Amino acid sequence: MIQFSVKLFLQAEDTFSFRSLLLYGTIYLLHNIITQQSYLSDAPTENYGSDPSGWYCFFDNGIWITEIYMTEQIGILLYVLPISKNIIILSDSTFFLHIGIQKTGSTTIQQILQQNIKELEKEKIKYLGRLPVLARKIRVMEEHDPAIIHTLRQQIKEEMGDESFSGNYILSNEKFAGDKMVGYKNTPVIAETVFKALEPLDVNVKIIVFLRRQDDFLESTYAQRIYSGSTLTFEEFFKNFDTSHFHWDELVDSYADYFGPSNVIVHRYDQNFLPHKDSLINLFGDSVGSSFLKNYSETKIHNSGFIRDTLEIERIANNYLDKQEKKYLRDLLRKVGSKDLYEKYSFFNISQRKEFLNNYMESNARVACKYLQDKSGTLFSPLKPGEYYISPYEGLTADKAVLHLTRAILESRSEQVAKNSDKRQNHSYLKRFIRKLLR
């Protein structure tokens, strides 16, 4: 038996209402299925060939396709009518696209990838970066744009570089998940854009996505709004929330529709599944086949959030500061008021939290069953007894504000003194070195 890793595209005819379908999987073929026909164009188009024993094919994602005609050049022609025929592309390279989502440690992953490019190259893995400028445009796409598709394809090809490279590629940017401010409702357009950009390239595509429980995700999103300059209270922010947003099955299915369910790798951004600080990058390494990342043990957390008091200081100050001053304050407060990894926010009260999560029980279960083969339908850790039974936030008092700001100023001053001391030491060393040369 011969095993090929392939991709198969089926384009629905205009007379049918179902959308274009991309099926990925592993095709297993008996050796004698490879006929003696010389060219694909010589394959019969009416009766599909005279030897019925030559028609065998199945996919590991459970979708059964028959009537496949083989040539000795390992070309595959599809004759499933009324679906148009296309040729399957065979490739040894895998293109991993990491799409976040936002607030799931993407920056940490990207920093580690960037800092260890040479180690990854030893494993024949090429990190292509983030394509930040183009990704910002893609994040807010609302309709098909051939110019963006073309630009994305060209930038990816430029980053891939040497055509003789036979390894795997990684592109990472959480903006490829879509716009969280509209609940990722534009993800289908972005998935189509990515598919059409990558379609001509000779690579097998795998999508990697980390998902976060919706209550934690929404609270973290609110905090991000404050960092970006918002002055809304959580109650004001949540009042206009659309409960049709953040159904992860819709987001994941958008990519699966084009790349196939078996080529979408779903992970949980959840403390129970990522128990220590290196779990995130270790799991990512397992997904991309990197022993180096699977055993990585030097993770430094990036973009850690604020505790409630420092977040409230920033929210109030946003009313009075310009953009540069807001950034300075944010950097200052981060020195003394950052929360720990997985430390919970408590913007919801417990009854609000339970009611909010009930909106997502069915859609989360579909993701767990379809993409994680978890028959229990458990996508995230359930609410534990007492987990959120904490005292309501009493608000920011003048004493607390003075304490946090004073600590931040002293910490900043201490760092500045240390830097000046280093500069003086370096300057003193340089003078001694010059004197030594002049002797």
Side-chain angles (χ1 to χ4, degrees), residues 336-379:
V336 297
S338 294
K339 69 182 185 69
D340 295 330
L341 180 66
Y342 301 126
E343 182 179 342
K344 305 293 186 182
Y345 287 112
S346 55
F347 297 112
F348 284 113
N349 63 46
I350 190 63
S351 60
Q352 283 178 321
R353 192 178 300 276
K354 288 180 177 179
E355 182 180 355
F356 180 74
L357 288 176
N358 283 339
N359 294 317
Y360 302 100
M361 288 181 62
E362 291 184 7
S363 57
N364 284 349
R366 282 196 290 272
V367 175
C369 294
K370 183 174 181 179
Y371 296 99
L372 295 168
Q373 290 73 54
D374 188 330
K375 295 181 180 179
S376 72
T378 303
L379 182 57

Side-chain angles (χ1 to χ4, degrees), residues 4 17 55 74 77 96 98 111 113 154 159 161 176 216 224 230 242 255 273 277 338 350 359 369 375 420 422 433-434:
F4 300 104
S17 61
W55 309 88
I74 321 299
L77 188 61
F96 293 99
H98 170 228
Q111 291 277 0
L113 291 173
Q154 292 304 115
E159 294 296 335
F176 283 104
D216 290 337
Q224 184 64 49
S230 175
D242 186 343
Y255 271 93
F273 299 95
K277 68 180 181 64
S338 294
I350 190 63
N359 294 317
C369 294
K375 295 181 180 179
N420 290 338
D422 290 341
F433 180 71
I434 292 173

Side-chain angles (χ1 to χ4, degrees), residues 230-246:
S230 175
T231 60
L232 293 176
T233 65
F234 182 74
E235 290 72 21
E236 291 168 337
F237 169 77
F238 184 59
K239 181 173 62 177
N240 297 317
F241 178 75
D242 186 343
T243 55
S244 70
H245 291 178
F246 305 154

Side-chain angles (χ1 to χ4, degrees), residues 238-263:
F238 184 59
K239 181 173 62 177
N240 297 317
F241 178 75
D242 186 343
T243 55
S244 70
H245 291 178
F246 305 154
H247 286 273
W248 301 144
D249 60 334
E250 296 175 359
L251 185 152
V252 179
D253 285 347
S254 295
Y255 271 93
D257 284 346
Y258 288 96
F259 294 98
S262 64
N263 287 293

